[in-house]
Each structure stands twice: as structure tokens, then as C-alpha cells.
Amino acid sequence: MNRGKKRMLTKGRAATAQAKRSYNESYNRGYNQGYDLGHDQGYRNGWQAGATSCSQAFQGTSIIIVTTNDQREHLQNCIESIYQYTPEPFEIIIIDNASTDDTESYLKSLTGKIRFKVFKSNLGFAGGTNQGLRMARGTTLLFLNNDTIVTKNWLSNMLACLHSNEKFGLVGPTTNYISGEQLVPTTYTSTEEMHRFAEQINRSNPSQWQVTGRLTGFCVLMRREMFEALGYLDEGFEIGNCEDDDYGFRARLMGYELVIAKDTFIHHVGSVSIKALGERFEEVYGKNLDFYSKKWGESHSLLAEVQRKLNGALATMNHFYPTGVVVRGVLPQPYWMENGIKRPIEGLSEALASSRVSQVDLRSWSLGDPIQIQEVLYRLEQLNSTATSAAPLQEGELAETPDHTVYQMKEGKMRRLNHWALTHWLLLERGKRQISYSELGSYEQGLPIIAPAVIVANNV
């Protein structure tokens, strides 16, 4: 072959590679623009490929990976292992939390079953994962740390476990580097040895499925229906740590079980993002522990109380929310929420205080007829004025016992609220009827009222 033909072949291959990269960049840009424009207002004005892709669910698993600085090599190893060891249908969604290395250019070079979104500020693990959940189309959803390497049969074994029991809410594997019951002692010293080690474990075996009280968030699988009932991760937890404990606790409150698939092993480098915090780690961890405590109080007794009241039944987060409150989702439109029905408020309601909920929470309530702002203000006034009444407690009214514990009457039952729930639902300043313990005892007590996950980003 002469030099001219060789140069033409080389140029042709370069042009083909550039075309693939351009297609991938256009696809991702189109998808993100299509989704952003279509969210809650129909998929319009987006690029056809992106809009069409995001509107069609598929029978497979959406693998959501959050990444940030100095982790590109880990991310590449993780992605390559997914392609090598995952014959099941899947898509990979990468959320880049403001990396300043070459992660963005690496993502733009990828083709195949990958979509990504790059953010200019760090949303934290919870915020980044929530963005991935928003983009996900799979019938099953999986959080996966970017510093993991998956192994043969990893996903099939976890799926078998998840689908074996409707009460299995969240499923996680074992690994070499983690806290808690998912830790397995290992001695391998290379990736090749690790895969041979994993082959001895990764043989589907229901006797190896263990119900646990805690799953760490390095790898968590759930059904889409579970996500619709449970909602997003709580973005009140900074950067990382404790948001996975919170998520698992909420799942258990709903009556679901957390399960370790001990017939599944994947490799975990471990705590790469957290270690990058350096001296800030203790500060961030302390804040997250404090937030968890304010949100849940004595969590063990709370869980035991809820489990007694559910008596084996399953609930959704909606069952733990109040009545007679004003809420809004990602859009400015406020709703009057009463007994599981949301009614769009019509009129000059811009100045009306409202509690922020996610789109998942908002969708969980049935849509009712519109209600005028004047009627909402009247109902709020009535709920405040009944605080001095001697009549039986009315639906939506608040009551306070001598120890300052606050309850709301909802569906004929007294529902307890802690300070965090009162604050989120804007009920701290609402009038409260003072009642004695004997009066409290004359009413049946229902499930406690809790606050939903904090949503910081404006589009979930």
C-alpha cells in the first residue's frame, strides 16, 4: 500500500472516531436538554433522540454512578467491569460533581449505554444520586460507587434476591472494604485474584440472603416501584455519609426489609470521595450525624412503634405526611394537600408560604379539583381558631400535651410530630389546642408524621 493510501485510511479512521464522539456528545446534550425542557410540562422542544429516549422505560437496570475530582481512573475501571460482567439489560448514568480533572472529556469520549450530566458545583452524594434517579429509565435502579469493580453474576444474583420477596426493599452485596455486616475478609492482591475469589462466592443461593438493619450505599438495588414509594435521598446530608442510613431507615419505616445478598461480592476501593475531604471529614460527618438526630430522634423506639402499628403491612412515605398544609414541587404552583389529595391553588398565591416536596412526593397524592386562594386562607384560619375550642378535635387540627409533644388529628387518629417535622411542614406557628394526657388517651394514635427528604436542587 502506498503512502497516500495509508494517509487516507488514517484520516478516515480519525474521522470515524471523531464522528462517534460528536454523536455521543450530541446524544447526551440532546437527552439532557430534552429532559429539562420536558420535565413536568411534557417532553417538548427537546432534541428528538434525547426526548424520545428519556420518555421510554425499559426492562433493565439503571446503574447510577456519582463521581468527582481525581477519580477518573476508578470510574474507568468501574465502567469497564460493568460492560465485561453484566449481560443483563442495563444503562449507565454518570453524574459528575464539578470535577476539575479530565473526567468531563473522558465522559464525552464514551459511547454505548451511557448517559451523563456534568454539574459546575458539587451536589454531594445525595444530590448527585437524585439527579441520576431523575434521568433513570430502568424498571430496577442501582446506586454504585465509582470506586467499585463488579464481578461475574453480580447483577443477576442481586436481581434474583430482590424479586424473590415483595418485602425485600433494598438489596446490597458483600465487599472487601466497608463497615458493618457486608464486609468479607479477603487476601487477594490483584484484580485477577479478586475475580477468582468472587467466582467462588457469586453462585446464586437463597440461603445466603440475610435481612439486616443497615445497608451501606456503595451498591444498592431496588425496584422502581420502591423508589416511587420511598422517594429521593435526603440532600440535607452534606457531601456524603449518613444519607444511606437515612434511606434504609425510611425503607424500614415503610415495612420493607434491607437484605445483604451474601452470594454476591464486588470489589470496593473504599471512601475515595470521603478521604478527599481531608481535615473537613470530621466537620462534615458531625453535621450529618446532628442532622440525622434532629430528623429522627430516638430512631430505634420510633421504628419499633411504627412496626407495631403497621403489623406486617407495607406503607409509603405518603402515609407519614400531614393533612391541611400547602405544598409545592419544582414548579411555583402551590397545592392544598388534604387527606392524600392535592388541589391546585388558584388566585394570587405567590406570597403563600408552602413546604417544598419532591416531584415523587407530589405525584404520590391524587389530583383533586382546583381550590381558590380565599378558601385556603379560610381553612387555615379555621384550623388556627379551633385551638381554643372545647369541641372534639377537628381534622387537621394540632394538639399539644403538657410535655409539649405535638399531635395532628388526621383521619380520626392522633399523629405525633417532632420539631423537625413541625418546622418543615410550617406548623410551628399554627395554633395548638392544649390537651391533657387523659384526653390524648381517648383518641387512637396513628403513624407519626415525619418530614420528607430535603431537596436542594431545583429540578427533582
Side-chain angles (χ1 to χ4, degrees), residues 25-38 46 50-51 54 94-95 115-118 134-135:
E25 290 180 27
S26 298
Y27 180 84
N28 275 282
R29 188 163 59 248
Y31 177 87
N32 290 329
Q33 289 185 6
Y35 203 109
D36 289 340
L37 291 171
C54 78
I94 311 292
I95 302 298
R115 289 180 286 115
F116 65 87
K117 197 164 187 177
V118 176
R134 176 178 172 246
M135 296 167 61

Side-chain angles (χ1 to χ4, degrees), residues 362-433:
L362 198 60
R363 287 196 300 269
S364 72
W365 291 305
S366 301
L367 181 63
D369 296 330
I371 184 171
Q372 295 298 315
I373 180 65
Q374 293 85 356
E375 176 64 19
V376 171
L377 294 174
Y378 172 76
R379 294 190 182 197
L380 290 172
E381 182 181 357
Q382 288 296 107
L383 288 173
N384 269 307
S385 64
T386 56
T388 58
S389 172
L393 286 164
Q394 302 299 305
E395 183 76 7
E397 188 178 354
L398 299 181
E400 186 175 27
T401 55
D403 65 352
H404 303 297
T405 302
V406 178
Y407 297 81
Q408 184 182 55
M409 175 62 68
K410 181 183 176 185
E411 298 174 337
K413 297 181 180 180
M414 295 291 272
R415 312 281 297 277
R416 188 179 69 257
L417 300 93
N418 66 12
H419 189 270
W420 180 249
L422 286 166
T423 301
H424 180 87
W425 297 114
L426 306 181
L427 297 174
L428 271 178
E429 303 304 320
R430 187 175 293 187
K432 302 169 185 66
R433 189 190 301 192

Side-chain angles (χ1 to χ4, degrees), residues 54-282:
C54 78
S55 65
Q56 295 176 348
F58 79 105
Q59 296 293 322
T61 302
S62 296
I63 302 172
I64 300 164
I65 304 173
V66 178
T67 191
T68 191
N69 278 335
D70 302 321
Q71 298 177 35
R72 205 270 286 172
E73 182 179 353
H74 293 307
L75 176 63
Q76 183 173 347
N77 291 337
C78 179
I79 290 173
E80 289 175 355
S81 72
I82 293 171
Y83 274 107
Q84 184 172 358
Y85 295 105
T86 315
E88 298 77 22
F90 71 89
E91 65 172 355
I92 301 175
I93 297 171
I94 311 292
I95 302 298
D96 180 37
N97 267 340
S99 293
T100 55
D101 57 12
D102 64 343
T103 298
E104 183 174 358
S105 59
Y106 166 67
L107 292 174
K108 289 180 178 178
S109 73
L110 298 174
T111 58
K113 307 173 185 179
I114 292 181
R115 289 180 286 115
F116 65 87
K117 197 164 187 177
V118 176
F119 287 88
K120 299 305 179 185
S121 60
N122 190 338
L123 305 180
F125 179 79
T129 301
N130 287 346
Q131 292 298 323
L133 286 167
R134 176 178 172 246
M135 296 167 61
R137 298 180 296 118
T139 52
T140 48
L141 310 169
L142 184 134
F143 314 151
L144 185 66
N145 278 17
N146 65 338
D147 60 341
T148 55
I149 296 176
V150 302
T151 54
K152 185 178 180 181
N153 297 331
W154 76 289
L155 185 55
S156 62
N157 287 359
M158 291 176 67
L159 286 169
C161 176
L162 179 70
H163 293 307
S164 69
N165 190 324
E166 67 169 358
K167 286 199 170 184
F168 287 2
L170 306 177
V171 172
T174 61
T175 190
N176 60 296
Y177 186 101
I178 208 68
S179 62
E181 298 175 292
Q182 292 171 266
L183 178 65
V184 172
T186 61
T187 58
Y188 56 76
T189 58
S190 68
T191 301
E192 292 74 18
E193 288 181 6
M194 182 274 292
H195 281 294
R196 288 196 293 270
F197 174 84
E199 281 188 14
Q200 301 305 309
I201 294 177
N202 292 8
R203 298 168 181 174
S204 186
N205 182 357
S207 69
Q208 294 296 305
W209 300 340
Q210 175 186 320
V211 175
T212 185
R214 178 176 181 262
L215 279 180
T216 55
F218 79 100
C219 180
V220 177
L221 177 69
M222 63 181 165
R223 289 178 287 267
R224 174 167 289 279
E225 294 81 7
M226 181 66 183
F227 166 61
E228 295 292 340
L230 179 56
Y232 289 106
L233 276 72
D234 196 319
E235 297 176 21
F237 295 98
E238 293 186 19
I239 307 299
N241 262 331
C242 301
E243 69 286 311
D244 50 355
D245 292 317
D246 176 88
Y247 206 64
F249 183 74
R250 284 156 53 197
R252 296 180 72 195
L253 278 181
M254 289 164 46
Y256 289 89
E257 294 177 334
L258 314 182
V259 184
I260 303 173
K262 289 197 167 183
D263 57 358
T264 308
F265 177 91
I266 69 173
H267 178 74
H268 184 211
V269 174
S271 303
V272 173
S273 298
I274 297 302
K275 287 176 182 176
L277 289 173
E279 295 179 355
R280 287 196 60 214
F281 170 76
E282 292 298 335

Side-chain angles (χ1 to χ4, degrees), residues 437-450:
Y437 294 121
S438 60
E439 288 177 284
L440 175 66
S442 67
Y443 294 98
E444 183 180 354
Q445 293 196 30
L447 295 172
I449 290 173
I450 67 175

